Structure formats: C-alpha cells, structure tokens
Amino acid sequence: MKTLFSKIKSYKWLRVLKNFYNLLFLDVKREIENLQIQQKKDYQSLLLIRNELRFNILMDYYKNNPNDEYKSELSYLSKIGTLKNIPYEQLKEISGVNVGFDKKVKLPYVMHGHDRLFFPKNYSTEQAKSDYIKFIQSENILGGNYTKKAPHQYQSNAVFVKEGDTILDIGSAEALFALDNVYKAKRIYVFESNPIWWEPLKATFGKFKGKVVLINKTVSTIDSSQYVRIDTCLEGEEIQGLFIKMDIEGEEKNIIKENEKLLTRNIDIRISCASYHRHDDSYIIESALKNFGYKTENSEGYMLFLYDQDFSPPFFRRGIIRAYKI
C-alpha cells in the first residue's frame, strides 16, 4: 500500500486518499503541528470526516449499551451532532485577543497579558489566535469556567502553583501554562522535544533568561544528546515547592514510575498529569501516585481524545489527575 501511494503522488485526489489512509491508522497530532498551512487545512478536513464516522460508532454503541455515567456528555454530543474533545456546553467566550507578527524573529504571536506567546513559523496569525482561544476557552487549561465542565484544567483549589515554586512543564508545546505562571515561580524548567517549538519557546522566554530553562530533549532515565533525566536538571536546585505539569502523549505513567526517588522526597510536591492519551492511563497513574503517598483528584468530567487511533469503548477518558502529598 505504501509503495503504491508513493508512485501516484502526482495525482491530487490520490494524494488525498493517501492522507486519509494515514489519518485513519496513525496518531497524527504531532504530524499536524509540523504541516504547512494548506496541508494543515487538508488534514483538518479529513479529521472532520473521520470524526463523523466515529460519532456514529459512539452513538450506536451507547444506544445498545446505555450508561448513565456519560448521560450529560452523550446528550450534548447528540445535540450538536458531532464529536468534540471537550464534550460540554460553552458558557462564555474570550474577547479582545490581540495577535501580531514579529519581523525580527519572523514568528506570529498572541498577547497573553503583557507578554507575547509565540507560535511556529508555519502558523498564520489567525491559526495562532485560533489555538490560543482553544486552549483558554474550549479546553479551559488555565481555568475560567468557559465550559460547563473543564476536564483539561491543570489546577484546582487543592492543587495549584504557589509563590516561589519550581515548576516542571514537561511536554510544554507553546508553554502557555509556564508563561501564565512565570511571575509566580522561582524557576521554570520547560521540556519540549518537538523541534517545531524551539524557536517560539526561545522567543517567548527570551526576557526570562535565568528564570526559565528551556530543555529541547525528551525526559527519560538517561542523559544523552536527545534524552535527559529530571534529576540531572534539578541538580543543585534549592526547592521550596515543586509543581509538576505533565502532558506527554501517553508517557506520563512511565515518567512517574521512573522518578519514584524524586516524587517521594520530603518536600511540598504537587502534580498535574494528563491521563487521556490511553484508555488505562487514569487507573495506572492514580494507583502509582497513591502508592507514593499522594492524595489524588480527577478533573471534572471526561474527554474524547480524537487523535488516538484507538477509538473503542468506553471512548470517554479522564482528562487530568492532580495529586499532592498527604
């Protein structure tokens, strides 16, 4: 199949079929980030087609297998007639989002408060604005009660960044979370291995040198040109309080398992960890943290991770597990 497609590249409609084939069988979230604007639009169109198919699969399943646990989510999806990552009613909208293009660094940006949040060079200013609105308004990652429930919200009344914290933003992408807490933190370590974000991150945090440390490597159990251990980064760091935010494409449970020594230190540690990438992540992550002596809580509601090639019952997944020392 792959060889056949490579021979028929010149035919536009067959290229679309090739993209659709890839879309059906691959986890394309990272690939989409790296696409050029027109390619990204094509892929987003294909995503809409795939979501339509999946919508029918999900609704047919629960028609034959009723479950009151997801009653409100199913009611909302039935009402709008499609799937959404955050399956909840929009309560309000963000306004006054200012965007621009910095000619010096040649990157688009969105104003977050008084600071510029930069995006990759293959983004248009409108795409940067759209993503920013999605993070704030649709996904509620910073809070704000924009939707009826906020399953992707990182902080809560029990688990939040404190003044003077050291923050680990593991899997930062654009690092909106880090920027939002930069004035409160003592130091922030920003981990992002996808090279598309390197230039935007340097532009966003250029004025915070010494306070924000950018690490363009994958968090691991070894140190090399591509990998880095958390302990290596924190060596010599005097930690008053530690806030760890993790959103790393399903590798969260492995990082927790491999860093027992750090996570069981006798210091004030709070954790906000994505649990929606795999079906069993929520159970595994919560069990591991409880074994390390943490009290845990789930973010409110459920998510649908539409980029995952594994779309199977129960479909709905817990978004974020938050934890703190008892």
Side-chain angles (χ1 to χ4, degrees), residues 166 168 189 230-237 239 242 262 265:
T166 297
L168 306 183
Y189 291 86
I230 294 176
D231 281 342
T232 300
C233 301
L234 295 180
E235 190 173 353
E237 181 84 28
I239 299 174
L242 184 63
L262 169 66
R265 285 178 60 180

Side-chain angles (χ1 to χ4, degrees), residues 62 65-74:
Y62 282 109
N65 302 274
N67 189 323
D68 286 342
E69 184 174 359
Y70 310 117
K71 186 176 180 180
S72 66
E73 291 80 9
L74 291 167

Side-chain angles (χ1 to χ4, degrees), residues 123-317:
Y123 277 53
S124 65
T125 53
E126 281 306 306
Q127 180 62 47
K129 180 179 180 179
S130 175
D131 278 13
Y132 180 81
I133 291 174
K134 179 184 70 173
F135 301 148
I136 299 288
Q137 179 178 291
S138 302
E139 298 187 9
N140 285 253
I141 66 172
L142 303 180
N145 300 312
Y146 286 94
T147 52
K148 190 172 183 179
K149 294 183 180 179
H152 203 184
Q153 184 175 321
Y154 290 123
Q155 300 183 79
S156 69
N157 291 333
V159 179
F160 56 91
V161 175
K162 299 178 182 178
E163 197 76 32
D165 270 351
T166 297
I167 298 176
L168 306 183
D169 188 347
I170 305 175
S172 70
E174 80 298 325
L176 173 58
F177 179 81
L179 183 62
D180 191 62
N181 289 284
V182 70
Y183 296 104
K184 186 181 292 185
K186 173 188 174 185
R187 182 162 295 158
I188 302 179
Y189 291 86
V190 175
F191 299 83
E192 179 51 59
S193 61
N194 189 347
I196 193 174
W197 291 108
W198 295 357
E199 291 304 317
L201 287 172
K202 285 192 289 185
T204 295
F205 295 104
K207 67 178 184 179
F208 299 105
K209 286 183 179 178
K211 185 172 190 177
V212 178
V213 181
L214 303 179
I215 302 172
N216 307 131
K217 296 183 179 183
T218 300
V219 174
S220 179
T221 57
I222 63 172
D223 292 313
S224 70
S225 60
Q226 294 180 308
Y227 302 99
V228 66
R229 296 184 306 119
I230 294 176
D231 281 342
T232 300
C233 301
L234 295 180
E235 190 173 353
E237 181 84 28
E238 293 185 10
I239 299 174
Q240 173 183 323
L242 184 63
F243 190 97
I244 303 173
K245 170 252 171 184
M246 277 190 282
D247 200 334
I248 43 177
E249 310 298 331
E251 290 300 312
E252 295 85 0
K253 54 183 175 286
N254 296 325
I255 298 303
I256 289 172
K257 179 181 177 181
E258 294 162 358
N259 286 276
E260 179 177 358
K261 183 178 178 181
L262 169 66
L263 298 179
T264 53
R265 285 178 60 180
N266 189 28
I267 56 176
D268 179 14
I269 302 177
R270 282 140 285 125
I271 301 169
S272 185
C273 182
S275 58
Y276 59 86
H277 294 102
R278 303 286 183 270
H279 279 301
D280 58 355
D281 279 0
S282 179
Y283 171 77
I284 294 173
I285 292 168
E286 187 170 26
S287 297
L289 290 171
K290 284 183 175 179
N291 286 338
F292 290 165
Y294 285 81
K295 184 175 178 59
T296 64
E297 63 178 29
N298 288 295
S299 55
E300 188 182 20
Y302 297 91
M303 291 179 64
L304 291 170
F305 187 46
L306 301 180
Y307 289 108
D308 195 353
Q309 66 187 87
D310 177 14
F311 190 73
S312 57
F315 306 108
F316 297 100
R317 303 176 185 178

